[in-house]
Amino acid sequence: MAYFFLRPSLTSCFVLMFLLFAASSNSSKVVDVSTICKETDNPSLCSNILNSKPGGAKGADLITLAQYTIDIVRGNLTNTISLIKTLIAKSGKDPTAKAHYEECLVHFSEEEGALGDINHTHELLMEGDYFGVKTSASAVIADMEYCISGEDPEDPIYPDKSKLPQYAHSIEQVVSIILVIPNYLMQK
């Protein structure tokens, strides 16, 4: 049986070549913030968010901007869940309101709703599945729409006078940033 051993200096050369190849194939992409933001629902909000990221105005890499935006959505969803729990507690004598907010809690939850979808979006980003990022971020919007407008177009929309529809709309505008970034990540 023959054994082949590389000399240490030759092994070091191979390791260095591998690391250089890996670094060049995973190099970060930088796109101007204004280019991204002009494709979103609210370019001004997008610009404020992405430029508030340290290094964002100078062209932070797309992965970093996507992670930052996902973290903002995660925080906003967590705050919205707190609002929904408060609305449930305050709607004790109104069974229609209570049922609506309990349904919304499911649609915003980590287990079955938007918070779980944004966490999955982050996982897909880290795996480099940029098409999956778009799909999962779209699910965040769908979950919120199910709360605000109902799952069935035939169902009457709950006349919600709370801040919940405003919160959902604001989150949707931030998610629109996440929907644009993968377009640039998928470009080779």
Side-chain angles (χ1 to χ4, degrees):
M1 192 185 283
Y3 293 96
F4 178 74
F5 294 98
L6 296 175
R7 291 178 292 173
S9 61
L10 191 54
T11 303
S12 298
C13 244
F14 283 126
V15 169
L16 180 60
M17 286 182 357
F18 173 77
L19 290 174
L20 288 173
F21 174 73
S24 67
S25 66
N26 289 325
S27 63
S28 59
K29 285 185 136 185
V30 176
V31 175
D32 185 55
V33 165
S34 63
T35 302
I36 295 167
C37 292
K38 70 182 178 185
E39 296 181 44
T40 65
D41 293 343
N42 187 335
S44 176
L45 175 69
C46 172
S47 181
N48 288 338
I49 288 172
L50 296 185
N51 286 320
S52 70
K53 168 73 177 131
K58 294 179 180 152
D61 71 275
L62 291 170
I63 299 290
T64 302
L65 291 176
Q67 287 175 318
Y68 182 69
T69 308
I70 288 169
D71 288 342
I72 290 171
V73 171
R74 187 181 293 119
N76 289 342
L77 287 169
T78 301
N79 291 339
T80 303
I81 289 169
S82 295
L83 171 66
I84 294 169
K85 288 178 179 178
T86 300
L87 293 169
I88 291 170
K90 289 182 177 180
S91 64
K93 294 187 182 201
D94 183 349
T96 305
K98 186 172 183 174
H100 171 72
Y101 293 128
E102 286 174 344
E103 185 67 25
C104 285
L105 186 58
V106 171
H107 289 300
F108 276 84
S109 74
E110 186 169 10
E111 295 79 26
E112 299 178 41
L115 186 56
D117 287 333
I118 201 66
N119 290 337
H120 186 62
T121 302
H122 184 259
E123 292 167 11
L124 293 168
L125 178 69
M126 295 296 91
E127 293 170 5
D129 180 356
Y130 306 129
F131 183 77
V133 167
K134 289 181 66 90
T135 303
S136 188
S138 294
V140 172
I141 293 173
D143 287 326
M144 293 186 303
E145 284 297 317
Y146 292 153
C147 163
I148 303 303
S149 302
E151 290 185 40
D152 186 346
E154 301 292 319
D155 290 342
I157 295 175
Y158 179 76
D160 196 339
K161 292 181 177 34
S162 75
K163 292 188 181 224
L164 181 56
Q166 294 169 321
Y167 277 38
H169 179 71
S170 296
I171 295 169
E172 186 174 335
Q173 290 183 336
V174 180
V175 172
S176 77
I177 300 167
I178 299 168
L179 292 172
V180 171
I181 292 174
N183 296 337
Y184 294 98
L185 288 167
M186 290 187 281
Q187 293 176 359
K188 298 269 177 179

